[in-house]
């Protein structure tokens, strides 16, 4: 099967905080809550050179198919706007 890619849209943010361990991700083919709900529990990987940041999709964000992914380590700012791969 072909790899599935998504885009890191932003960190999860509060009124005075940003949470670099949690990111909002938009997958190209996912545009509804029902499709996004099927991704919960799956793993994503963001690669930078030889560094890998592994995260897990933990919930939904809004009604247009965005998902929240929690990473083991905080993802750097260079990751915003780049692609992640769905692996698990």
């Amino acid at each position: 099967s072909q790899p599935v890619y998504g885009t890191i849209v932003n960190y999860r943010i509060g009124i005075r905080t940003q949470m670099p361990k949690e990111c909002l991700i938009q997958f190209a083919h996912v545009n509804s809550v029902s499709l996004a709900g099927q991704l919960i529990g799956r793993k994503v990987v963001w690669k930078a050179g030889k560094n890998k940041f592994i995260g897990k999709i933990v919930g939904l964000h809004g009604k247009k198919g965005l998902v929240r992914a929690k990473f083991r380590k905080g993802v750097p700012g260079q990751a915003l706007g780049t692609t992640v791969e769905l692996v698990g």
Side-chain angles (χ1 to χ4, degrees):
S1 64
Q2 284 188 309
V4 178
Y5 295 105
T7 305
I8 296 180
V9 179
N10 205 348
Y11 294 126
R12 180 168 175 230
I13 57 171
I15 193 164
R16 288 180 191 85
T17 56
Q18 73 179 14
M19 299 157 211
K21 284 190 175 183
E22 275 196 54
C23 292
L24 305 180
I25 299 175
Q26 174 76 66
F27 288 95
H29 65 288
V30 178
N31 53 14
S32 69
V33 172
S34 60
L35 286 170
Q38 295 170 3
L39 298 173
I40 293 174
R42 298 191 58 189
K43 286 201 169 115
V44 291
V45 172
W46 181 74
K47 291 177 188 154
K50 55 189 173 188
N51 295 339
K52 275 187 187 175
F53 290 80
I54 299 166
K56 186 178 189 181
I57 296 175
V58 292
L60 303 172
H61 180 82
K63 292 185 169 66
K64 298 215 166 88
L66 266 80
V67 292
R68 283 187 297 119
K70 192 159 197 164
F71 287 85
R72 292 176 191 171
K73 271 206 241 140
V75 176
Q78 291 96 312
L80 301 183
T82 61
T83 58
V84 291
E85 188 178 344
L86 199 61
V87 287

